[in-house]
């Protein structure tokens, strides 16, 4: 029987990344797409009805969508094993910001529909 090399930690990954990283990146991309749709809806309603608050919310949501794409790509790479650091869970701040952004996007979508009618 042969003994494992001295750098066995580098030769054998700590875990099998599987498709978890890809699924994570795709879910963040879908979240960003929904945020962009709500942002565009909010911007359109803001410009049509001359509501500056909806325009501001739309711009904030576009920034949040960009942040979601960047974070999703980073998280997907980390879970796929492309980076050295393999986090076990997303930071609580990232989850809280994603939840707050989702609520803001929902509120903007509802507000833009109500303003349009």
């Amino acid at each position: 029987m042969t003994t494992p090399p001295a750098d066995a930690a580098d030769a054998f990954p700590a875990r099998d990344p599987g498709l978890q990283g890809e699924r994570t990146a795709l879910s963040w991309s879908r979240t960003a797409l929904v945020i962009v749709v709500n942002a565009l809806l909010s911007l359109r309603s803001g410009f049509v009805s001359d509501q500056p608050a909806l325009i501001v919310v739309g711009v904030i949501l576009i920034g949040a969508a960009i942040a979601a794409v960047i974070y999703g790509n980073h998280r997907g790479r980390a879970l796929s094993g492309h980076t050295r650091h393999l986090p076990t869970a997303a930071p609580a701040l990232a989850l809280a910001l994603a939840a707050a952004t989702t609520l803001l996007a929902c509120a903007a979508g509802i507000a833009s529909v109500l303003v349009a009618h």
Side-chain angles (χ1 to χ4, degrees):
M1 182 175 255
T2 62
T3 59
D7 57 347
D10 293 333
F12 302 105
R15 63 183 180 142
D16 178 24
L19 296 176
Q20 181 179 4
E22 185 178 342
R23 286 191 315 264
T24 298
L26 287 173
S27 68
W28 278 98
S29 297
R30 285 190 306 266
T31 301
L33 178 65
V34 170
I35 294 171
V36 166
V37 168
N38 279 305
L40 293 177
L41 210 151
S42 177
L43 284 172
R44 181 188 174 278
S45 294
F47 283 124
V48 168
S49 64
D50 197 29
Q51 295 284 330
L54 285 176
I55 295 170
V56 169
V57 168
V59 170
I60 290 170
L61 288 175
I62 288 175
I66 291 168
V69 167
I70 291 169
Y71 182 75
N73 286 335
H74 169 72
R75 187 91 174 117
R77 278 195 320 267
L79 291 172
S80 294
H82 293 304
T83 60
R84 199 82 171 136
H85 175 63
L86 295 174
T88 57
L93 179 62
L95 296 176
L97 288 175
T101 302
T102 303
L103 291 175
L104 181 64
C106 291
I110 291 169
S112 62
V113 169
L114 292 177
V115 168
H117 289 17

